[in-house]
Amino acid sequence: MSEFLSTATLPDHYQQLAKTVRDFARSVVAPVSATHDREHSFPYEVVAGMADMGLFGLPFPEEYGGMGGDYFALCLALEELGKVDQSVAITLEAGVSLGAMPVYRFGNDAQKQEWLPLLSSGEALGAFGLTEAGGGTDAGATKTTAKLDDGHWIINGSKQFITNSGTDITKLVTVTAVTGEVDGAGGQERSDTGGGTRKQISSILVPVPTAGFTAEPAYDKVGWNASDTHPLSFDDVRVPQENLLGEQGRGYANFLRILDEGRIAIAALSVGVAQGCVDECVKYAKEREAFGAAIGTNQAIAFKIARMETRAHVARATYYDAAALMLSGKPFKKAAAVAKLVASEAAMDNARDATQVFGGYGFMNEYPVARHYRDSKILEIGEGTTEVQLMLIAREAGL
């Protein structure tokens, strides 16, 4: 167990970070959340505020322009932002965990020196191009290709559901692409191409803008309306051979590591949602009167909120545990899957119950619980569906 497994034993610097982000979420994020959600507008002014606070550089070393913190610090920030606005929280999560972290984990020194200071500053966003139309959970079924030609990669294909990929400050998209084939025995990837071979999948850095790269029109989503999400197309996109990120043929395996880490971050965001719903319900249940008394005096309401609080508490413990294992260098794949499963379901369940507590008002978009109700479903899908988490947990248990 870690010294920070409980909120009661968090070291002072973690507590101060959480308080700082909590104050920012309440004073800066919350007042504009409904407007950005309604207008489907990207919150550039909020992102600039997070950049000024150094949130995009939290887990990166100071030598690369970061804050010298760790992944748990990022998770604490995501939890606080998730309490009030999931779109803002996922913008930070994707920008750090998916946009910059692959460069930090697998980039060479030149790539780190070029990209990490820019991404850590928050002045630019990076995106993570993995998912394709025919392969969501089956990410190894990549069809996007990259072929070498006179010292350059020529990339053709498309990606789907890519966060932070079409903003005015998007400067980098890391994409997985098929760069060849390997024999069945030696391949790292699992998607067969026939003839006893497997796809060799690599990851490549694509600066934005680059000729042939297009962020297609944004999706019309159920939730996360202030988050930037686009399909991407690559039409003979030409980038230097040295833009290969990590070893050739290790792109799929490396991205799986990124997803393992990202599940802890999504769990933290989900805990924020679950706790945010509790906080809103407690406040409302004290103020709203029915039949001559505050509705919180009714056991039906009080017990519902008590169950919501329990879900948030348990979910928080799971992501604290997964983060502690990760930071200590111990295997954390199962713990990350458990955290993501428990926390995303807690967020969805609490959002549904909060809507019920608020009654008709809970169905009005002006209330945070209504936005959480629309936003939370994707938490059970993105960065590995609930079914994927169950598969991983069963596999790690020896089944």
Side-chain angles (χ1 to χ4, degrees):
M1 303 294 252
S2 164
E3 73 277 7
F4 58 73
L5 188 56
S6 167
T7 54
T9 57
L10 279 181
D12 289 343
H13 67 284
Y14 286 132
Q15 292 191 41
Q16 184 58 48
L17 170 66
K19 181 182 183 303
T20 299
V21 179
R22 186 182 312 126
D23 292 343
F24 174 81
R26 291 173 177 174
S27 63
V28 177
V29 181
V32 299
S33 292
T35 299
H36 283 299
D37 176 77
R38 181 175 62 254
E39 297 178 355
H40 293 217
S41 54
F42 188 75
Y44 286 102
E45 77 283 10
V46 173
V47 172
M50 292 194 293
D52 289 342
M53 295 169 64
L55 299 189
F56 287 93
L58 273 175
F60 302 119
E62 294 179 7
E63 65 179 299
Y64 297 122
M67 298 293 288
D70 55 33
Y71 208 85
F72 183 65
L74 171 65
C75 289
L76 289 176
L78 291 171
E79 179 179 346
E80 295 301 333
L81 293 171
K83 291 178 182 178
V84 300
D85 192 322
Q86 291 188 47
S87 289
V88 167
I90 197 60
T91 298
L92 176 63
E93 191 278 338
V96 177
S97 179
L98 302 181
M101 193 60 72
V103 178
Y104 178 62
R105 293 290 184 213
F106 310 116
N108 56 40
D109 190 61
Q111 291 167 339
K112 291 178 183 178
Q113 292 291 349
E114 178 180 5
W115 289 109
L116 285 181
L118 187 62
L119 299 175
S120 294
S121 71
E123 295 176 7
L125 292 176
F128 177 90
L130 176 64
T131 302
E132 298 187 2
T137 296
D138 186 10
T142 300
K143 293 183 179 180
T144 297
T145 62
K147 298 181 179 180
L148 278 175
D149 176 59
D150 192 25
H152 289 75
W153 294 106
I154 310 300
I155 306 171
N156 285 281
S158 61
K159 298 293 180 178
Q160 298 283 328
F161 313 135
I162 310 304
T163 305
N164 292 347
S165 58
T167 74
D168 294 344
I169 57 174
T170 299
K171 299 300 180 183
L172 176 69
V173 177
T174 303
V175 299
T176 51
V178 178
T179 52
E181 293 182 347
V182 293
D183 62 52
Q188 297 294 327
E189 276 60 64
R190 72 180 189 184
S191 296
D192 293 334
T193 59
T197 62
R198 295 173 184 263
K199 295 177 180 179
Q200 179 194 76
I201 298 178
S202 306
S203 52
I204 300 171
L205 302 173
V206 178
V208 178
T210 295
F213 167 80
T214 304
E216 304 292 349
Y219 293 100
D220 182 12
K221 297 172 292 187
V222 172
W224 285 7
N225 288 329
S227 167
D228 178 81
T229 318
H230 297 260
L232 308 179
S233 63
F234 302 83
D235 184 9
D236 285 337
V237 171
R238 188 180 184 89
V239 298
Q241 184 174 353
E242 55 265 29
N243 281 27
L244 179 73
L245 182 64
E247 297 179 22
Q248 185 169 336
R250 292 291 299 174
Y252 180 65
N254 289 346
F255 270 37
L256 289 182
R257 163 63 191 250
I258 292 298
L259 289 175
D260 283 340
E261 296 179 359
R263 285 166 184 146
I264 304 175
I266 291 295
L269 193 164
S270 300
V271 168
V273 176
Q275 189 64 58
C277 288
V278 172
D279 296 345
E280 291 293 329
C281 284
V282 169
K283 179 181 177 181
Y284 184 76
K286 290 180 178 179
E287 297 174 349
R288 176 76 163 95
E289 292 190 359
F291 304 103
I295 63 172
T297 61
N298 298 318
Q299 278 193 342
I301 299 296
F303 284 6
K304 186 182 291 292
I305 296 175
R307 289 190 181 278
M308 293 168 62
E309 174 68 18
T310 301
R311 293 186 195 115
H313 182 86
V314 171
R316 184 177 294 105
T318 64
Y319 101 69
Y320 274 33
D321 181 49
L325 290 172
M326 174 187 165
L327 294 183
S328 65
K330 297 177 181 178
F332 66 93
K333 180 183 288 287
K334 182 175 73 172
V338 169
K340 204 274 185 179
L341 173 69
V342 171
S344 62
E345 289 188 343
M348 189 70 238
D349 289 344
N350 277 15
R352 182 184 61 249
D353 282 353
T355 303
Q356 193 72 15
V357 169
F358 272 68
Y361 291 113
F363 204 61
M364 302 297 111
N365 279 325
E366 64 186 281
Y367 288 89
V369 296
R371 296 199 302 275
H372 280 320
Y373 185 68
R374 286 187 288 105
D375 288 346
S376 293
K377 183 56 193 174
I378 190 61
L379 296 170
E380 298 181 310
I381 299 173
E383 296 205 34
T385 63
T386 295
E387 291 74 20
V388 165
Q389 308 317 311
L390 291 169
M391 177 187 71
L392 291 173
I393 294 165
R395 184 183 297 166
E396 291 292 317
L399 298 176

